[in-house]
Amino acid sequence: MARADAFGARAPLPGVDGIDFYRLARLQEQGIGDPSRLPVTVRILLENLLRHSGESYVDEGDVEALARWDGSPPGEHDKERAFMPARVLLQDFTGVPAVVDLAAMRSAMARSGGDPGRIDPLSPADLVVDHSVQVDAFGNAGAYNANIEREYERNRERYELLRWAQQGFHGFSVVPPGMGIVHQVNLEYLGKVVQTRDGVAFPDTLVGTDSHTTMINGIGVLGWGVGGIEAEACLLGQPLFLLTPIVVGVRFHGALRAGATATDLVLTLTEMLRKHGVVGKFVEFCGDGLSALSAADRATLSNMSPEYGATAALFPVDAYTLQYLRDSGRPSSLVDLVERYNREQSTFREDGDAPPVFSEMLELDLTTVEPSMAGPRRPQDRVALPDVWTSFCDVFTPKTNGEVAQEVERLVDEGGSPVDGTGVPAPEHASQDVPEEPGLEDGSVVIAAITSCTNTSNPSVMVGAGLLAKKAAARGLRVPEYVKTSLAPGSRVVTDYLDRAGLLEELEKLRFNLVGYGCTTCIGNSGPLPDPVAERVSDDDLAVVAVLSGNRNFEGRIHPQVKAAYLASPPLVVAYALAGTVHLDLSKDSLGTGSDGKPVYLREIWPTADEINSALSTALSSDLFATEYGRIFDGDEHWQKLPAPTGAMFAWDPDSTYVREPPFFEDLAPEPPAPQDVRDARVLALLGDSITTDHISPAGNIAKTSPAADYLREHGVDPRDFNTYGARRGNHEVMVRGTFANIRLRNALAQGKEGGYTEHFPSGEITTIYDASMRYQQAGTPLVVIAGKEYGSGSSRDWAAKGTKLLGVRAAIAESYERIHRSNLVGMGVLPLQFQPGESAQSLGLTGREVYSVDGVSSDLRPGKPMTVTARAADGSEKRFTAIARLDSDTDVQYYRHGGVLPFVLRQLLPQQAATA
């Protein structure tokens, strides 16, 4: 029988009365391995195994194997090991469907005669409502109140569900709307770095239903994003199962030079790590250069871990971590516990430390970082300021070539300017002053948003934006009327310190008024463009631009009419708002003309480090955090007036268009059916590289001419109340109709038509993907999706897998997968297959018009099993190729056999008589 504390590692934590811990040094004393040489990431995972050794999922061999970790690549027969996170973090776009699933599992349990109360979180869970606020009102003092009123009007049903969950589930807390962004609230308040439970201190670890959960890695907390499906399993007591980790070390040298921000650093890092390849790996930072980065800077770098593809990106605990905990109002007892625990475990970083043994090591000199943006379509596409316009032209080819060049020549011949009120720019970029009110044209900035957790958690760049706005306003610069400006901080502390520094009013002078405390533009809730702007963009088919201080800029995400999006630091967001265009080089061109008639250059108004530090020293203090987080769970009068349903069972409303009982647990058999080979499947979509979860399951606006819109109209919803796909995730009927509905989706089977369309076979009709799916399912035809590299990159969006399942897709075949989406597909019982290295749909000559069969599913299913895929063309000819089943572990196989992780968990909890019936 397994023994609890088999290694004798439990001991009192010195200096902390009544608290024990599990000593990693005990493993070295027993000659098992030397934990002190391991990356901190591995040591945290090792402590997790050591503490749980003897329980059902962990044996002594698991501990011994990880203690001997040496950085080598995992072997072919690598064993998965359990990881039990201390807590689970959710946001409302992913949290609402998670709550819906748990409520549906309770309903299924009740139908089976069991106790619904058994479906209850076994790990503490916090849900922060931050994704639902939309920028409808902006640029005025009443914007915040108008937006939150509209938010409650749109989302009342969803919020009532969350109010029920607060009382229906144990250990489940909800941070109401208008309080902050989940990752910033986690960083500033929820994260403890070291937890204590049942008299034991241990590392604060977590998983979250948002890919940017990694932001908390900036203060030494190991956590990462998982799909909502996996998170629900963790809530119900299922561990995550991890293969031997690959840990990439990044050693920093030097310090950022004047003018470079943490935003510039993270864009540089994202570019570097994407090129190196860290997908599915852990990143850990080391080196004396860390002392040049504040904890808030580090959080910025960890936040964008999904953008460079890493599972997590950890900064070890050090003196800067402790200072951040003090500054953010954490109690001194916690700060003391964090220091004592990490020193005892030899995980406290100090300058001069030798780096751990890593799987791989990269170096980055901070002095080489330059002011940058990323875009116009992907976070990893970093571009220096002088090259922004070139990067735009490389993708969109502004109307400055061909026939439009003749118009430019005509203007010049007539004595006009190459850039004048006609809105026709010069064909070749040259350094020149941009008029104060340039015409709306290709490259015009129509959205400028200071938004998202990535940067609004960092006081230095937020104060920098305020100081830049102050200097610009003093010089007489103003933002062009066609630019939609917004300020959406990640916590109320931000507006508190900006107000105390006198900078909130300076931002308001440039129409950067507070619009809400939430993700807003970064998640796609940018709201409508003003009618005249929207009409001009549509009529002239303009390629206009959004500049935002966010972490995501994928196609179609920010706004359906905005083709280009650039990620930038908050000060640069203000600068581009003033310029009103990306058709300039901010390193040398002027932003506009001041009130004195002279050009104003960015270098003249860029705040110095001393100015920023001076403002922070007077404005930012721990009392702001204590005040705001002292009322974090209370909510405003809107929240407090909401009905709070009670009882163990949620009362489903059959007329609701927001919350419906999903079909995943209907008629659930006590035992799963045997897996079957795929026979005579059709291709629903043939896609290229870098298909994101935004392409698969968009979060933004519901197009008026979409299947989802048809459904809502049929149920009496006015178009102004359609809301977004993200807000409708509690209704599977909307979400299945929105799967593959991104307006920028390019499906090779749609005969050149962009958006959620495909060719139905054998009719040859071009129709929506949803309508084609329904016809296929009525005919009993299974479906597959074929894609290129990095399939499913981006957000940890469980509906990208749920919607795929409900469309009748049995398998996806891709060149490679992003970690979370692959896991989500398995978690929904959809088989992810991967082409052999060097092979693709193109190299194999696949057109997507063939009939496909997959052999090898029904027998000897195992991790990484090669599957034979046969593609039969209309003329009877066949192509056979081998694809690898991306069931990466025995647990994956088990989940897939059950049709997904949640049916697996539910079957374990069903009454014995039902399970054996």
Side-chain angles (χ1 to χ4, degrees):
M1 180 178 291
R3 297 177 295 138
D5 193 21
F7 298 91
R10 182 166 176 166
L13 179 60
V16 185
D17 291 339
I19 297 295
D20 292 345
F21 76 123
Y22 282 77
R23 297 175 58 245
L24 292 175
R26 179 63 176 164
L27 298 174
Q28 185 175 12
E29 294 166 1
Q30 293 191 342
I32 296 171
D34 180 9
S36 66
R37 50 180 280 285
L38 301 176
V40 175
T41 302
V42 178
R43 281 184 260 180
I44 292 173
L45 296 175
L46 179 59
E47 187 278 342
N48 196 276
L49 289 173
L50 183 62
R51 181 163 32 93
H52 290 284
S53 180
E55 298 176 9
S56 57
Y57 293 107
V58 182
D59 60 37
E60 295 173 26
D62 294 330
V63 177
E64 293 169 359
L66 194 59
R68 297 188 180 106
W69 186 92
D70 62 1
S72 301
E76 182 180 351
H77 302 291
D78 186 33
K79 181 186 176 186
E80 59 184 3
R81 298 178 185 87
F83 170 62
M84 281 66 73
R87 57 192 176 96
V88 175
L89 184 69
L90 309 99
Q91 40 92 335
D92 55 308
F93 269 16
T94 50
V96 165
V99 171
V100 167
D101 285 347
L102 293 176
M105 290 175 77
R106 280 194 172 181
S107 296
M109 179 68 82
R111 288 193 296 268
S112 299
D115 177 11
R118 294 192 68 192
I119 308 296
D120 201 54
L122 297 178
S123 295
D126 297 289
L127 186 151
V128 181
V129 183
D130 66 345
H131 276 50
S132 297
V133 60
Q134 180 171 300
V135 187
D136 291 296
F138 70 98
N140 60 72
Y144 171 79
N145 287 330
N147 289 329
I148 202 162
E149 290 273 359
R150 191 79 175 100
E151 178 184 354
Y152 274 92
E153 181 184 334
R154 288 184 176 117
N155 297 287
R156 178 185 57 81
E157 292 180 51
R158 300 169 66 239
Y159 294 168
E160 288 178 8
L161 170 73
L162 297 180
R163 294 279 283 177
W164 168 80
Q166 276 183 302
Q167 64 80 39
F169 296 127
H170 295 95
F172 186 91
S173 66
V174 176
V175 175
M179 305 310 290
I181 297 176
V182 57
H183 309 305
Q184 192 161 341
V185 171
N186 192 27
L187 184 75
E188 295 179 351
Y189 177 70
L190 298 174
K192 299 294 187 287
V193 186
V194 174
Q195 295 262 14
T196 57
R197 204 171 292 165
D198 300 324
V200 175
F202 55 93
D204 180 14
T205 56
L206 72 151
V207 292
T209 58
D210 189 290
S211 54
H212 295 104
T213 300
T214 53
M215 182 171 179
I216 198 69
N217 300 168
I219 58 171
V221 176
L222 184 61
W224 60 87
V226 296
I229 305 155
E230 285 180 294
E232 292 167 48
C234 287
L235 282 174
L236 295 172
Q238 292 291 305
L240 291 177
F241 288 94
L242 308 177
L243 298 173
T244 300
I246 299 173
V247 185
V248 179
V250 178
R251 180 159 53 188
F252 285 154
H253 306 274
L256 295 174
R257 64 190 186 188
T261 68
T263 312
D264 304 316
L265 172 57
V266 74
L267 297 179
T268 301
L269 183 74
T270 299
E271 178 187 44
M272 180 181 85
L273 292 179
R274 267 291 172 187
K275 287 181 179 177
H276 177 77
V278 295
V279 173
K281 303 175 184 179
F282 291 83
V283 167
E284 183 171 312
F285 300 97
C286 64
D288 292 356
L290 295 189
S291 293
L293 299 173
S294 69
D297 291 338
R298 300 173 187 187
T300 301
L301 304 185
S302 293
N303 178 288
M304 288 187 68
S305 178
E307 278 61 58
Y308 41 87
T311 300
L314 188 72
F315 286 85
V317 172
D318 63 7
Y320 293 81
T321 312
L322 303 180
Q323 189 59 51
Y324 181 81
L325 294 176
R326 294 188 193 97
D327 291 345
S328 55
R330 265 70 163 211
S332 58
S333 58
L334 175 63
V335 180
D336 180 66
L337 174 67
V338 169
E339 180 172 10
R340 288 180 183 275
Y341 179 87
N342 281 280
R343 288 195 182 278
E344 287 294 329
Q345 295 283 41
S346 299
T347 50
F348 194 89
R349 187 205 74 88
E350 295 184 290
D351 284 353
D353 286 349
V357 174
F358 290 113
S359 305
E360 306 162 33
M361 173 75 92
L362 303 174
E363 312 278 345
L364 180 58
D365 183 353
L366 300 179
T367 64
T368 64
V369 174
E370 59 182 341
S372 306
M373 307 236 286
R377 284 179 170 171
R378 301 188 305 174
Q380 62 262 42
D381 295 335
R382 186 189 67 85
V383 55
L385 293 188
D387 302 319
V388 170
W389 178 244
T390 299
S391 73
F392 178 88
C393 294
D394 287 344
V395 175
F396 295 104
T397 314
K399 301 176 187 66
T400 58
N401 301 314
E403 74 278 4
V404 182
Q406 298 175 5
E407 175 67 6
V408 174
E409 291 177 7
R410 183 187 64 77
L411 289 168
V412 173
D413 289 342
E414 295 176 1
S417 168
V419 180
D420 64 11
T422 66
V424 181
E428 298 290 337
H429 173 61
S431 178
Q432 57 194 11
D433 293 341
V434 176
E436 183 175 348
E437 295 284 343
L440 199 58
E441 59 192 21
D442 289 325
S444 290
V445 174
V446 296
I447 292 176
I450 301 175
T451 180
S452 100
C453 47
T454 316
N455 287 292
T456 68
S457 62
N458 193 332
S460 64
V461 292
M462 294 301 290
V463 165
L467 289 170
L468 191 143
K470 180 178 181 179
K471 293 183 179 186
R475 292 288 301 272
L477 293 184
R478 293 293 181 267
V479 174
E481 288 298 318
Y482 58 76
V483 182
K484 183 172 185 176
T485 49
S486 59
L487 171 65
S491 84
R492 288 177 170 268
V493 173
V494 177
T495 44
D496 287 345
Y497 67 67
L498 287 174
D499 188 42
R500 187 181 284 182
L503 297 177
L504 195 58
E505 60 181 316
E506 298 296 341
L507 287 162
E508 291 168 350
K509 289 177 182 177
L510 301 184
R511 293 192 289 112
F512 280 95
N513 296 78
L514 176 69
V515 296
Y517 297 94
C519 297
T520 60
T521 302
C522 194
I523 190 59
N525 287 352
S526 54
L529 296 176
D531 288 343
V533 176
E535 291 168 8
R536 175 73 186 278
V537 170
S538 178
D539 291 346
D540 293 356
D541 190 26
L542 295 178
V544 291
V545 179
V547 181
L548 65 152
S549 63
N551 44 41
R552 291 276 161 84
N553 58 341
F554 301 129
E555 285 183 283
R557 179 184 179 100
I558 303 306
H559 190 282
Q561 287 188 286
V562 177
K563 295 182 180 179
Y566 285 90
L567 306 181
S569 66
L572 283 180
V573 172
V574 175
Y576 276 98
L578 291 165
T581 181
V582 295
H583 186 200
L584 79 172
D585 174 0
L586 280 187
S587 69
K588 57 185 177 182
D589 295 338
S590 77
L591 291 166
T593 303
S595 53
D596 59 0
K598 296 179 180 179
V600 180
Y601 297 91
L602 183 61
R603 60 181 178 269
E604 298 174 335
I605 60 173
W606 190 266
T608 67
D610 287 343
E611 290 171 329
I612 292 172
N613 292 333
S614 176
L616 286 174
S617 66
T618 59
L620 185 60
S621 60
S622 60
D623 66 294
L624 298 180
F625 293 88
T627 298
E628 295 297 351
Y629 286 108
R631 58 189 182 195
I632 188 67
F633 297 110
D634 295 344
D636 60 14
E637 67 277 7
H638 300 89
W639 182 257
Q640 293 167 6
K641 290 178 181 177
L642 280 176
T646 59
M649 303 287 292
F650 181 73
W652 303 103
D653 179 358
D655 296 325
S656 174
T657 58
Y658 275 99
V659 178
R660 300 286 298 272
E661 183 175 3
F664 306 129
F665 313 111
E666 292 177 357
D667 304 320
L668 185 72
E671 293 294 330
Q676 299 295 315
D677 293 336
V678 179
R679 283 282 172 264
D680 300 329
R682 285 292 188 176
V683 178
L684 187 62
L686 178 61
L687 307 168
D689 295 342
S690 299
I691 295 298
T692 70
T693 51
D694 280 277
H695 287 108
I696 305 169
S697 183
N701 293 333
I702 297 172
K704 305 285 190 297
T705 57
S706 65
D710 293 341
Y711 167 86
L712 292 172
R713 272 191 291 263
E714 290 167 6
H715 285 75
V717 180
D718 188 88
R720 74 181 295 273
D721 296 319
F722 279 178
N723 211 333
T724 64
Y725 284 112
R728 296 274 181 185
R729 283 182 186 166
N731 184 345
H732 61 280
E733 297 286 5
V734 172
M735 296 310 295
V736 67
R737 289 165 172 78
T739 305
F740 294 109
N742 187 302
I743 62 169
R744 301 298 176 207
L745 184 75
R746 285 178 284 277
N747 175 11
L749 299 180
Q751 298 183 15
K753 191 169 184 177
E754 200 172 56
Y757 298 93
T758 195
E759 181 176 348
H760 173 264
F761 301 106
S763 70
E765 180 184 347
I766 298 299
T767 183
T768 67
I769 283 178
Y770 171 76
D771 289 337
S773 162
M774 293 301 102
R775 291 170 66 177
Y776 284 129
Q777 292 192 58
Q778 288 168 5
T781 303
L783 298 171
V784 297
V785 170
I786 300 177
K789 300 179 181 68
E790 297 178 353
Y791 183 58
S793 58
S795 300
S796 56
R797 195 160 293 173
D798 58 338
W799 261 109
K802 288 178 176 177
T804 298
K805 172 85 168 185
L806 293 180
L807 284 175
V809 175
R810 291 276 308 280
I813 313 173
E815 292 179 59
S816 65
Y817 292 87
E818 202 76 350
R819 173 183 62 88
I820 297 175
H821 187 58
R822 184 210 66 83
S823 178
N824 276 340
L825 289 172
V826 175
M828 286 307 301
V830 177
L831 181 63
L833 297 173
Q834 188 160 314
F835 288 108
Q836 296 276 16
E839 291 187 348
S840 64
Q842 185 176 12
S843 73
L844 293 169
L846 304 177
T847 67
R849 290 172 167 78
E850 306 90 349
V851 174
Y852 285 75
S853 295
V854 181
D855 292 300
V857 181
S858 60
S859 62
D860 188 30
L861 192 60
R862 63 186 186 277
K865 181 182 178 180
M867 303 280 187
T868 300
V869 182
T870 303
R872 187 177 70 252
D875 62 4
S877 61
E878 293 184 344
K879 293 178 181 177
R880 285 187 174 86
F881 60 95
T882 300
I884 303 302
R886 286 299 310 276
L887 303 172
D888 291 354
S889 66
D890 291 335
T891 303
D892 278 354
V893 173
Q894 189 175 41
Y895 289 165
Y896 177 74
R897 284 184 181 277
H898 278 264
V901 59
L902 296 183
F904 167 78
V905 173
L906 185 55
R907 287 188 175 106
Q908 313 312 305
L909 297 173
L910 286 173
Q912 188 64 32
Q913 63 270 24
T916 57

